[in-house]
Amino acid sequence: MTPETIEGYGVRLRPCAPADVPGTVAGLTDPESRRFMPFLPDPYDADAARWWITEGAPAARAAGGAAYTIADPATDRLLGSIGLTRLSAERATYEIGYWVGPSARGRGVATAATRLLSEQAFAAGAGRLELLTRAENVPSQRIALACGYRHEGVRRAAGAGVDGVRQDLVAWVRLADDPPGPTARLLPDLPDGRLTDGVVTVRRVEPADTDALHRLHTLPEVVANRVPPVPPEREVIARRCRLAASHWLAGASADLAILDAVTGAFVGGCALVHDEPATGQAMLGYSLLPEARGRGLAARTVRLVAGWAFDVGVARLWSGTRPENVASQRVLERAGFRREGLLRGRLPGAGGTRTDSVIFGRLATDAE
């Protein structure tokens, strides 16, 4: 459905050739490639590469898709591979997939190749392109956004996994009449990866935060404010930390670690959840470890995160506390939030009971 050779954006897409065998083997035996493509033969050797070049790639074209080597236009040297799989001829729907070898990563090669092939596919009559990524594959999700693809949801257990355990896949989609990209993000990255006022620092949650975050969220006073009010298993927190970057890119939530700016020690957690994007509203929640309380760190954190949220387009922030949580209410008031009312029985409580929630709000136009 696309030309035999395409060139643009600093890359060449050409047919796979026997000379690509060594580069293909090197690229697909790399640990990062194996991590996200567990369905490949193991070991991936020259015979597997030759099969792809002589049989797999031609079969993809014969089935109405495409298969290309991504090459350096100056040397014609293999940088990676990209292709299209036809999912539905009637609906003109295709899946796009690629890999890039270790030496070519970080240079925009995958972005250039994806943009180029996407444009050619639409010019040839495609109506919808899907790019499926594992939730932990943050680089691929950034590529999707850079190429104008939009987050469409999660396909549960859609991917082959290791040891028979299937994996969820995140669906990124671009239509023929979508703008070319990049896709505007509801939650852009933090400037320089963090916010700080010199006393407190916040950054995105990382897998290494699992133990500290689990300790925080199993404290009785923190559990009381969870929904439902049940202490989480460690694996639940580990998954949250693994997927924090993906959820951020999708615009769902900004999950943050609160650090002591001087020592770098983890002192708490904060989350901004884009619960109502259509109206520009987001929810803010936070909690601190016992040893960090009473130092004004929570109010500093709320001010920092609120300021960033308003800068990136959030119009209204809200936060809720239990009626008896006076300390948290004072934090919100010090950070410029106003008490707006009480929602009776809003949250599930222990033993089938319901718990009231005191609601505080702050607008982008409010003076702190």
Side-chain angles (χ1 to χ4, degrees):
M1 66 167 295
T2 53
E4 187 169 279
T5 299
I6 317 167
E7 198 161 321
Y9 302 116
V11 296
R12 174 182 297 152
L13 307 187
R14 60 160 175 79
C16 306
D20 297 331
V21 168
T24 300
V25 173
L28 295 182
T29 53
D30 172 70
E32 194 70 3
S33 297
R34 300 297 315 185
R35 178 184 170 201
F36 295 119
M37 294 188 284
F39 49 82
L40 291 172
D42 189 15
Y44 193 93
D45 55 18
D47 287 339
R50 278 191 288 269
W51 175 89
W52 168 251
I53 291 165
T54 61
E55 298 186 45
R61 275 193 168 273
Y68 291 101
T69 286
I70 308 171
D72 184 326
T75 64
D76 204 44
R77 183 176 63 86
L78 176 143
L79 303 174
S81 179
I82 191 167
L84 294 168
T85 300
R86 185 164 68 177
L87 302 178
S88 170
E90 180 184 1
R91 299 184 182 92
T93 300
Y94 297 80
E95 180 183 342
I96 190 167
Y98 53 81
W99 62 266
V100 171
S103 64
R105 292 176 192 152
R107 294 162 43 190
V109 169
T111 300
T114 300
R115 182 179 292 129
L116 184 60
L117 185 53
S118 297
E119 290 175 359
Q120 290 293 324
F122 288 129
R128 172 184 166 94
L129 297 179
E130 300 183 359
L131 197 165
L132 304 180
T133 76
R134 294 184 184 278
E136 294 90 342
N137 193 348
V138 172
S140 268
Q141 294 174 56
R142 289 188 179 277
I143 290 164
L145 287 163
C147 293
Y149 286 70
R150 303 182 189 181
H151 180 265
E152 197 169 83
V154 175
R155 296 190 178 171
R156 295 183 303 140
V162 180
D163 298 328
V165 179
R166 299 188 64 82
Q167 301 290 316
D168 293 347
L169 296 178
V170 184
W172 300 86
V173 173
R174 185 175 158 192
L175 306 181
D177 56 356
D178 281 344
T183 299
R185 289 174 54 185
L186 282 174
L187 296 173
D189 294 331
L190 298 178
D192 300 320
R194 59 189 55 223
L195 303 170
T196 187
D197 63 1
V199 176
V200 68
T201 294
V202 294
R203 59 155 173 78
R204 192 186 72 223
V205 161
E206 301 170 350
D209 297 320
T210 296
D211 287 336
L213 205 60
H214 184 245
R215 177 194 165 205
L216 175 68
H217 283 277
T218 51
L219 293 169
E221 64 274 23
V222 177
V223 171
N225 291 284
R226 287 179 58 84
V227 179
V230 176
E233 298 291 336
R234 185 184 182 281
E235 178 49 36
V236 171
I237 298 297
R239 176 178 170 81
R240 172 177 167 178
C241 292
R242 287 197 308 271
L243 303 187
S246 179
H247 291 164
W248 196 310
L249 289 172
S253 61
D255 209 346
L256 299 156
I258 307 172
L259 311 177
D260 183 308
V262 176
T263 67
F266 180 101
V267 295
C270 178
L272 184 145
V273 179
H274 225 311
D275 65 328
E276 207 172 90
T279 65
Q281 176 178 277
M283 181 195 70
L284 188 63
Y286 51 87
S287 49
L288 293 178
L289 291 169
E291 60 267 28
R293 297 171 191 164
R295 296 161 49 192
L297 301 185
R300 286 177 176 274
T301 297
V302 173
R303 288 192 200 101
L304 280 172
V305 177
W308 168 76
F310 293 140
D311 284 346
V312 301
V314 174
R316 166 183 160 79
L317 286 173
W318 72 274
S319 186
T321 79
R322 293 162 63 92
E324 64 272 23
N325 193 349
V326 175
S328 190
Q329 294 168 34
R330 287 176 177 165
V331 165
L332 292 167
E333 290 169 347
R334 287 198 296 271
F337 283 68
R338 303 179 190 179
R339 178 173 173 143
E340 295 182 340
L342 178 106
L343 296 183
R344 295 182 304 128
R346 178 178 177 271
L347 302 174
T353 62
R354 302 292 298 181
T355 301
D356 297 344
S357 181
V358 182
I359 302 300
F360 287 76
R362 182 178 165 191
L363 306 181
T365 53
D366 286 345
E368 187 175 325

